Amino acid sequence: MQRSNAGDVTYDDPWYDALASGWGESVPAVALPQARPEPDAVAPAAADIYLEVQRSAAFQEVRRRYRRFVVPGAVAFLLWYVAYVVTATTVPGLMARPVAGAVNIGMLAGLGQFLTTFLLTWAYVRHARLRRDRAALELRWDTQELARGRGGAS
């Protein structure tokens, strides 16, 4: 937040006062003035900061940890889903085989799809919390410090 010359508080968020197009605008939208940077602070361009962070070893490690979980998880889930669909269409007799009362193998496999969805979601959240969140938060703080022109801890 910055204080304007009139003493009121203005936000740096470009979406703060912007209405979505066609959402209750009775008068034409007025362009908001751009926030002026502080004259004594010389910060590097945002694009340079984000490119520097993207090239950093810490960012690459976060991305590597993400890919090492997501790619095998997505492949395994898609294979399980395709196997379910292919089995249901090619071997309907197997899927119709009763297990207990009106419950058959197809129903159990279909419910298994839901179960694996929840299990994969739980595993993803746990993996993110234990292996990526802290490193990503540190990158976020460093990026904000660089954007403010103070250097950062990297």
Side-chain angles (χ1 to χ4, degrees), residues 2-143:
Q2 296 177 344
R3 293 214 175 266
S4 69
N5 291 340
D8 56 341
V9 175
T10 60
Y11 291 92
D12 293 333
D13 185 1
W15 301 104
Y16 180 71
D17 285 330
L19 289 174
S21 178
W23 284 60
E25 297 144 275
S26 58
V27 294
V30 177
L32 297 174
Q34 295 293 326
R36 291 177 292 175
E38 296 177 19
D40 58 342
V42 178
D48 295 335
I49 293 170
Y50 289 109
L51 285 173
E52 179 182 338
V53 170
Q54 184 179 9
R55 292 180 189 120
S56 71
F59 181 82
Q60 296 303 321
E61 178 65 19
V62 169
R63 294 298 299 165
R64 186 183 63 77
R65 289 178 184 178
Y66 171 78
R67 280 188 230 108
R68 283 185 60 195
F69 180 85
V70 169
V71 171
V75 168
F77 185 78
L78 288 174
L79 286 175
W80 160 230
Y81 178 73
V82 168
Y84 169 70
V85 172
V86 168
T87 304
T89 56
T90 59
V91 193
L94 173 69
M95 298 298 263
R97 186 174 295 162
V99 174
V103 177
N104 59 27
I105 292 176
M107 288 179 163
L108 291 178
L111 291 173
Q113 291 288 315
F114 287 103
L115 178 64
T116 54
T117 300
F118 292 123
L119 287 174
L120 189 60
T121 302
W122 170 81
Y124 175 81
V125 169
R126 183 175 186 275
H127 179 268
R129 186 182 70 241
L130 295 177
R131 302 225 166 88
R132 292 192 327 264
D133 284 353
R134 182 170 290 131
L137 185 61
E138 289 174 6
L139 276 170
R140 178 181 176 190
W141 289 122
D142 287 347
T143 304

